[in-house]
Amino acid sequence: MAASSPKSDRAALLKAFDEARTGVRGLVESGVSTVPDLFVHPDPYASAPLAPPGVSIPVVDLSLPAHLVAAATAAAARDWGFFHLVNHEALVPSGHPARALAAVRPFNELPAPERAAHYGRALAGGVSYSSNVDLFRSPAASWRDTVQVMFGPTPPNAERIPSVCRSEVIEWEAHAAAVARAVMALLSEGLGLGGAALEETSCLEGKLMVCHYYPVCPEPERTMGLVPHTDPGVLTVLEQDGIGGLQVKHTNGDGESFWVDVKPEPGALVINVGDLLQIMSNDKYKSVEHRVVMNSREEARVSIAVFFNPGKRGESVLYGPLRELVSTENPPKYRRFAMSEFLGAFFKRDLASKALLEHFKL
């Protein structure tokens, strides 16, 4: 009998892991003392050095005068693609980000049979719970489990959201949308357009929430929580707990690249530009790589990201650089496309692929 190939062995192991329906948390519950081979990343932290001490992403303070806030938001999106948003109480009542995080954690720590009842890769009713959205496409799996809720353009079946975190998740989506609306207005102004320019292209209507749970890891140096990637959409609103691990790749004026820790700041939200906004801004704003490194702390990390995308998905509705930004002096850098083509290109690749922007470049 011919020996099975490493590729078929891996496929069988992936299938068995997925069919256990308990995610990475299930591995931890089983008492693993090493990272299984499926999750081992070859030299995961070798791509670029860490930033020197004291380097951090910019901060946008909403309590400052409006013209300063607009300038700071545009500069952060242009130079970094990421920023902390603080003093946002007019948009998000105090304590609300922490409430959602505190509700997502207990779901992931329910007994395995209770979690397994929710497990599945299809977004049935707009909701799914699984491990690694690209599990069967990526060269190595990452150390995280995820609840996804598609809030738009079609609302989810709320009954499918796990009851232990349902009300908090629904409540947080409304607050995150208010934040995204305000930030999109600032970014539109930074492009020299009216404040409603991005919202008018339906960029607030497509909404996907991902609630990530990164279990305690026995060998954090051998795997990753999230591989280096860019977000595909327009804008991401992220809340994270106090554990840390998010890092952003920044290239300075001398062309040197390094990874910058996005240290958790009490009360701060993290905002980042996605690939589609880089395209729509004709490269004025940039979508940058980021990753989650595993920590050696004896506590799981929880984060919640809400990705905002255009909600108008018809084949005749085309996206590309905003027409007001394009001229003979500033020609378009990307071709126009329907959202179906854009999303299809994203889901055909593994998360770490850098090909999405290149796919649409002229």
Side-chain angles (χ1 to χ4, degrees), residues 236-289:
T236 305
V237 176
L238 174 83
E239 52 173 335
Q240 59 173 339
D241 65 12
I243 300 297
L246 176 62
Q247 296 180 336
V248 171
K249 195 174 191 179
H250 180 63
T251 303
N252 65 17
D254 297 325
E256 301 169 308
S257 293
F258 39 75
W259 290 103
V260 178
D261 277 317
V262 182
K263 292 189 171 68
E265 299 287 343
L269 297 172
V270 179
I271 309 293
N272 67 278
V273 171
D275 293 343
L276 192 49
L277 182 52
Q278 178 167 334
I279 290 171
M280 295 173 79
S281 71
N282 210 29
D283 281 352
K284 181 160 184 181
Y285 297 145
K286 64 182 180 183
S287 173
V288 301
E289 278 189 279

Side-chain angles (χ1 to χ4, degrees), residues 6 80-81 187 264 304 312:
W80 280 80
L187 292 170
I304 302 177
K312 291 181 178 164

Side-chain angles (χ1 to χ4, degrees), residues 110-275:
L110 285 171
E114 292 184 45
R115 297 199 315 279
H118 292 275
Y119 195 94
R121 300 210 158 262
L123 270 168
V127 182
S128 73
Y129 160 60
S130 65
S131 185
N132 287 255
V133 68
D134 60 346
L135 182 69
F136 295 98
R137 300 191 302 276
S138 63
S142 295
W143 203 257
R144 75 178 182 282
D145 301 324
T146 305
V147 174
Q148 295 189 90
V149 185
M150 182 72 75
F151 276 100
T154 302
N157 175 357
E159 293 301 310
R160 296 193 65 90
I161 303 171
S163 60
V164 69
C165 58
R166 183 182 301 146
S167 62
E168 292 86 354
V169 159
I170 291 170
E171 182 181 64
W172 177 242
E173 183 276 324
H175 294 313
V179 170
R181 176 176 284 108
V183 172
M184 282 189 200
L186 293 165
L187 292 170
S188 295
E189 290 171 26
L191 294 170
L193 307 174
L198 288 170
E199 187 173 350
E200 286 171 353
T201 59
S202 78
C203 288
L204 274 169
E205 294 172 21
K207 294 172 281 190
L208 175 66
M209 179 184 291
V210 295
C211 308
H212 288 315
Y213 179 86
Y214 303 88
V216 173
C217 183
E219 296 179 298
E221 71 285 352
R222 298 188 71 209
T223 189
M224 303 200 77
L226 200 51
V227 293
H229 68 287
T230 57
D231 290 349
V234 175
L235 195 73
T236 305
V237 176
L238 174 83
E239 52 173 335
Q240 59 173 339
D241 65 12
I243 300 297
L246 176 62
Q247 296 180 336
V248 171
K249 195 174 191 179
H250 180 63
T251 303
N252 65 17
D254 297 325
E256 301 169 308
S257 293
F258 39 75
W259 290 103
V260 178
D261 277 317
V262 182
K263 292 189 171 68
E265 299 287 343
L269 297 172
V270 179
I271 309 293
N272 67 278
V273 171
D275 293 343

Side-chain angles (χ1 to χ4, degrees), residues 315-330:
E315 293 300 308
S316 63
V317 183
L318 300 182
Y319 296 90
L322 294 168
R323 295 190 185 281
E324 301 92 328
L325 303 179
V326 172
S327 64
T328 50
E329 296 78 30
N330 185 33

Side-chain angles (χ1 to χ4, degrees), residues 76-131:
R78 182 182 64 242
D79 300 336
W80 280 80
F82 262 81
F83 56 90
H84 270 130
L85 189 72
V86 300
N87 290 319
H88 45 62
E89 289 78 9
L91 302 168
V92 183
S94 179
H96 276 262
R99 282 172 55 166
L101 291 169
V104 166
R105 181 182 295 277
F107 166 74
N108 286 277
E109 295 171 0
L110 285 171
E114 292 184 45
R115 297 199 315 279
H118 292 275
Y119 195 94
R121 300 210 158 262
L123 270 168
V127 182
S128 73
Y129 160 60
S130 65
S131 185

